[in-house]
């Protein structure tokens, strides 16, 4: 049986190969290893394997792990799941990065808690480019209506304790990796659009791709891929969101 370390190194190889085949520098793609619903031993094994960024979906579960593993100060903890407003304080005080900023209301709460804590939180805006009703993220499936996003994006950009870094998406579930490609391409076009509308802002990061489709995501410009099961195995327990 392969170890977490073997599968981590294999994923890094696949990312590097996908980057090179797209004419990209492999070092421009960072791997977030997703440990949601994984027990502490698995998180420890990932850290021991050399993982430098861990991704968690649920603020409370993540904070418990951050506190328990606080000696590993070089590991970055990224929150990648939907954040309810009442969890904004936990996120502002404990995580290094938020991939899933999905409303202006949450942005304002995070900004206030970051100010109180004397921190600046790097954030990505999450967009729903597949038009699914159940998905979080700003609705951005209809390119003809992207202009309607600008007012809220501008409001997020004005918050001094959040640092805008780019965009994130989770495409609809498909049977093949290729199914995700047009959604990744759409997020890339949205990045270009926002950069043209806000030339002074930074939207350089694109967080897209999971175990199922990360190589396609790298072809299409991902700078973060978020991989769980294919490195750390099936998720093992349920937690409350
Ligand atoms: C769970 C999750 C992942 C990782 O998915 P895997 O299929 O385990 O690789 C990536 N991104 C988000 C937002 C997730 O919730």
């Amino acid at each position: 049986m392969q170890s977490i370390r073997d599968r981590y190194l294999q994923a890094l190889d696949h990312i590097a190969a996908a980057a090179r085949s797209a004419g990209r520098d492999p070092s421009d793609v960072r791997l977030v290893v997703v440990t949601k619903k994984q027990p502490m031993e698995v998180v420890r094994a990932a850290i021991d394997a050399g993982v430098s960024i861990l991704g968690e979906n649920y603020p409370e579960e993540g904070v418990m792990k951050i506190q328990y593993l606080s000696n590993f100060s070089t590991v970055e903890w990224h929150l990648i799941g939907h954040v309810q407003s009442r969890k904004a304080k936990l996120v502002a005080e404990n995580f290094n990065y938020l991939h899933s900023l999905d409303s202006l209301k949450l942005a304002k709460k995070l900004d206030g808690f970051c100010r109180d804590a004397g921190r600046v939180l790097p954030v990505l805006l999450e967009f729903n480019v597949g038009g699914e009703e159940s998905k979080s993220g700003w609705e951005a499936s209809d390119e003809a209506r992207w202009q309607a996003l600008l007012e809220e994006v501008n409001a997020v950009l004005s918050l001094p304790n959040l640092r805008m870094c780019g965009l994130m998406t989770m495409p609809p579930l498909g049977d093949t990796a290729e199914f995700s490609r047009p959604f990744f391409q759409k997020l890339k076009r949205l990045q270009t659009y926002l950069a043209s509308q806000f030339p002074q802002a930074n939207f350089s990061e694109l967080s897209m791709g999971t175990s199922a489709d990360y190589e396609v995501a790298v072809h299409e410009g991902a700078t973060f891929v978020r991989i769980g099961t294919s490195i750390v195995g099936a998720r093992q327990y349920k937690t409350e969101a």
Side-chain angles (χ1 to χ4, degrees), residues 172-180 212-213:
L173 200 60
D175 292 333
T176 65
E178 278 304 320
F179 179 84
S180 300
D213 51 20

Side-chain angles (χ1 to χ4, degrees), residues 2-238:
Q2 281 192 312
S3 66
I4 286 177
R5 184 180 159 78
D6 294 336
R7 290 185 303 231
Y8 171 59
L9 296 176
Q10 207 165 61
L12 288 176
D13 279 349
H14 291 165
I15 290 166
R20 283 194 208 94
S21 79
R24 302 184 57 206
D25 182 342
S27 70
D28 289 343
V29 187
R30 283 181 287 171
L31 169 54
V32 179
V33 175
V34 179
T35 48
K36 65 170 178 240
K37 299 184 183 179
Q38 297 285 359
M40 219 60 94
E41 312 87 81
V42 167
V43 185
R44 268 303 305 264
I47 292 171
D48 290 344
V51 169
S52 53
I53 309 177
L54 293 168
E56 288 284 335
N57 283 62
Y58 309 103
E60 269 128 350
E61 179 187 338
V63 168
M64 197 178 71
K65 290 171 177 170
I66 291 168
Q67 288 172 352
Y68 189 80
L69 297 165
S70 60
N71 291 339
F72 300 90
S73 57
T74 59
V75 177
E76 278 185 39
W77 295 87
H78 291 201
L79 204 285
I80 64 170
H82 172 67
V83 179
Q84 295 165 282
S85 293
R86 62 194 168 85
K87 307 280 172 72
K89 186 163 188 275
L90 270 183
V91 174
E93 291 179 349
N94 291 282
F95 286 88
N96 301 108
Y97 213 110
L98 176 63
H99 289 231
S100 44
L101 181 57
D102 58 8
S103 75
L104 180 56
K105 180 183 169 200
L106 175 63
K108 287 176 174 168
K109 292 220 164 186
L110 288 167
D111 181 63
F113 289 122
C114 284
R115 183 196 55 225
D116 295 347
R119 307 181 86 205
V120 172
L121 183 67
V123 297
L124 305 177
L125 301 176
E126 180 173 0
F127 290 101
N128 176 358
V129 293
E132 296 165 285
E133 291 207 354
S134 59
K135 275 273 158 72
S136 43
W138 274 276
E139 163 53 42
S141 57
D142 182 357
E143 296 189 35
R145 297 171 61 186
W146 280 353
Q147 201 183 355
L149 298 166
L150 297 179
E151 191 179 328
E152 291 206 348
V153 172
N154 191 41
V156 176
L157 287 170
S158 75
L159 299 171
N161 303 287
L162 302 185
R163 185 166 79 237
M164 180 60 64
C165 296
L167 294 71
M168 178 271 211
T169 201
M170 189 79 177
L173 200 60
D175 292 333
T176 65
E178 278 304 320
F179 179 84
S180 300
R181 191 183 297 273
F183 302 106
F184 296 152
Q185 290 172 335
K186 197 187 281 191
L187 194 72
K188 177 85 193 173
R189 286 197 298 277
L190 180 54
Q191 176 192 44
T192 303
Y193 174 71
L194 292 178
S196 73
Q197 296 297 310
F198 301 105
Q200 73 291 4
N202 173 31
F203 293 103
S204 59
E205 305 287 348
L206 280 183
S207 172
M208 56 191 196
T210 68
S211 295
D213 51 20
Y214 67 90
E215 286 160 298
V216 171
V218 171
H219 287 153
E220 299 303 335
T223 63
F224 284 114
V225 292
R226 310 177 308 266
I227 305 180
T229 47
S230 74
I231 295 176
V232 291
R235 290 181 263 281
Q236 301 184 5
Y237 63 90
K238 296 243 178 276

